[in-house]
Amino acid sequence: MTPFFRIALILGLLSAIGPFAIDMYLPALPSIGHDLTAPDNLVQMSLLAFFIPFAIFQLLYGPIADMYGRKLPLYIGIGLFAVASVGCAVANDIQTLIAFRFLQGIGGAAGMVVPRAIVRDMHTGVQAARLMSLLMLVFSISPILAPLSGSAVIAFYGWRGVFWAVTIAAFIGLILLSTQLKETRSREDRAGSSFRSAMAAYRYLLGDRNFMTLSFIGSFGISSFLVYLANSPFVLINHYGLTPTQYSFAFSVNAVSFFAVSQMTGRLGQRFGLVRVMRVAVTGFAASMVALVAAMGLGFEQLPVLVCLLFVGFGFLGLVIPTTAVLALEEHGAIAGTASALMGTLQFVTGAVAMVLASLVANGTAVPMSAAIAGCAVIAFLLAQLTMGNYASSVKAAAE
């Protein structure tokens, strides 16, 4: 295995530890509610309790990664995640589970921030897009394997077994971190970093129109998937009558589309430019999701229609996420950790808000879920078309 692919594998695995704790227990959401005698809204709160700290604490890990190097915040975050996972496994009521899920989110945030900063440390432009897409390949295996393995674990050990499994995954991550990953942030680069400089960097980034636009395009793209993630267990299992195992297969189909298409990012970016790839992908994503809502509105609510159109849409999303991440970080190498943190926080705060809004109109059918996903896709499309066109050429030149 070449060093390039080895690094992509390790970074992808570290990034996937947190999301693995989400995807793996999705098939168990209805049974968690039954076992802990909790209503659906409180069970969904255990998902939201993870996302809120997962988003906010990225703002802390980013400056720490710039000040003390990339490995220290990963040790802190993954270690905390492992401890919180044990707490989730032994929780006897929904409130305790929510509390430990909150701690899990704090720990898992490190895995989202630092790997992207490491990519920026090592590469820029098309090479960065290639490495980012490979990282996304490993990262995206989580939505495929996690629900399937989660169903298997639940069948033999119940939903608590899921949290013991992610505890083991966290310890594997710590071993890989200590033995296979080198520090990519030199002492000289860390010298000028402090929390004061991080605050100044955040102010600068918030005023950077290019960075904010790209971050929000990615944010609404990710939000669409998070809305699906939060609502799909109840829609597919309760409304369409799928078993947890059947749900896992249906959920995994969309992840296959996402990661398979994402592997074309580097090649397409080299040929057409990353900005053009991003804009075309956002257009295809929005068109697919609008078609889904139209089909639902016309009464075509059959499960194959839902799965097929989501398959197409999430394929386009597989191009949107890595291109926006690379372009947003392109000109911010000196503060890559801080920039990655702000981008991640914007993405998951936006996602959390979208999940809450979608839950307010959810009625157990596919129509509200599809409408919420389409709304996110259309906003991403409008941002790309209305704000990126004015300076797309300059961003493309910088990216290449």
Side-chain angles (χ1 to χ4, degrees):
M1 182 183 296
T2 65
F4 192 88
F5 284 95
R6 180 172 58 83
I7 291 297
L9 176 62
I10 295 169
L11 294 180
L13 289 173
L14 292 174
S15 299
I17 288 175
F20 203 78
I22 302 169
D23 302 329
M24 194 173 181
Y25 98 131
L26 287 178
L29 287 179
S31 62
I32 289 174
H34 181 268
D35 187 36
L36 300 181
T37 61
D40 287 350
N41 64 328
L42 279 182
V43 176
Q44 285 185 312
M45 186 63 67
S46 71
L47 192 61
L48 188 60
F50 183 95
F51 276 111
I52 291 175
F54 194 69
I56 294 174
F57 277 84
Q58 292 186 46
L59 294 174
L60 179 61
Y61 286 116
I64 291 175
D66 285 341
M67 292 165 57
Y68 301 106
R70 308 308 190 197
K71 296 185 71 171
L72 177 62
L74 284 172
Y75 281 123
I76 295 172
I78 297 174
L80 177 60
F81 178 89
V83 172
S85 297
V86 174
C88 291
V90 299
N92 290 319
D93 55 69
I94 191 65
Q95 291 79 13
T96 301
L97 178 64
I98 289 172
F100 279 110
R101 288 287 288 170
F102 187 88
L103 291 177
Q104 261 194 330
I106 295 175
M112 293 303 298
V113 174
V114 182
R116 283 189 303 222
I118 292 174
V119 170
R120 179 57 185 81
D121 289 342
M122 300 177 66
H123 299 287
T124 60
V126 173
Q127 279 295 95
R130 182 167 170 251
L131 181 55
M132 189 73 75
S133 63
L134 284 170
L135 187 154
M136 295 295 294
L137 170 61
V138 180
F139 178 82
S140 298
I141 290 175
S142 172
I144 300 174
L145 295 182
L148 294 173
S149 59
S151 295
V153 170
I154 293 164
F156 288 99
Y157 304 106
W159 62 267
R160 298 180 189 278
V162 168
F163 292 106
W164 290 118
V166 297
T167 301
I168 295 171
F171 279 110
I172 293 173
L174 288 172
I175 293 171
L176 289 173
L177 174 62
S178 64
T179 61
Q180 301 295 320
L181 193 64
K182 295 181 179 179
E183 180 59 60
T184 59
R185 178 80 166 173
S186 68
R187 292 186 180 275
E188 292 77 13
D189 291 334
R190 302 177 212 170
S193 300
S194 65
F195 282 112
R196 178 175 294 180
S197 66
M199 294 303 102
Y202 281 135
R203 287 193 296 270
Y204 168 73
L205 291 168
L206 288 169
D208 185 333
R209 181 183 179 187
N210 181 38
F211 175 84
M212 293 298 292
T213 299
L214 287 162
S215 294
F216 273 114
I217 292 171
S219 295
F220 282 102
I222 288 176
S223 295
S224 65
F225 190 78
L226 296 181
V227 167
Y228 176 67
L229 186 149
N231 289 274
S232 59
F234 301 98
V235 172
L236 297 184
I237 294 175
N238 294 341
H239 179 63
Y240 286 106
L242 300 186
T243 66
T245 300
Q246 290 171 333
Y247 163 76
S248 299
F249 280 105
F251 186 86
S252 300
V253 165
N254 297 313
V256 170
S257 173
F258 179 88
F259 84 73
V261 177
S262 73
Q263 297 314 294
M264 302 170 62
T265 303
R267 185 177 302 176
L268 292 174
Q270 189 169 18
R271 182 172 181 180
F272 301 108
L274 295 177
V275 172
R276 183 182 297 180
V277 171
M278 182 271 296
R279 295 183 69 185
V280 171
V282 170
T283 302
F285 178 49
S288 302
M289 297 301 95
V290 170
L292 174 61
V293 173
M296 294 288 161
L298 293 172
F300 297 99
E301 297 185 38
Q302 294 86 351
L303 181 60
V305 174
L306 175 68
V307 172
C308 288
L309 285 173
L310 286 174
F311 180 87
V312 174
F314 286 140
F316 282 111
L317 185 61
L319 294 175
V320 173
I321 303 304
T323 52
T324 53
V326 169
L327 289 170
L329 297 176
E330 187 72 24
E331 298 180 353
H332 302 294
I335 53 171
T338 302
S340 176
L342 181 57
M343 179 170 62
T345 293
L346 292 174
Q347 289 173 345
F348 284 94
V349 167
T350 304
V353 172
M355 289 165 62
V356 170
L357 293 178
S359 70
L360 295 178
V361 297
N363 60 7
T365 70
V367 176
M369 179 184 74
S370 301
I373 293 172
C376 293
V378 169
I379 294 173
F381 166 79
L382 292 175
L383 284 172
Q385 301 304 314
L386 296 178
T387 65
M388 291 299 294
N390 295 332
Y391 48 89
S393 298
S394 62
V395 176
K396 176 182 176 182
E400 296 174 345

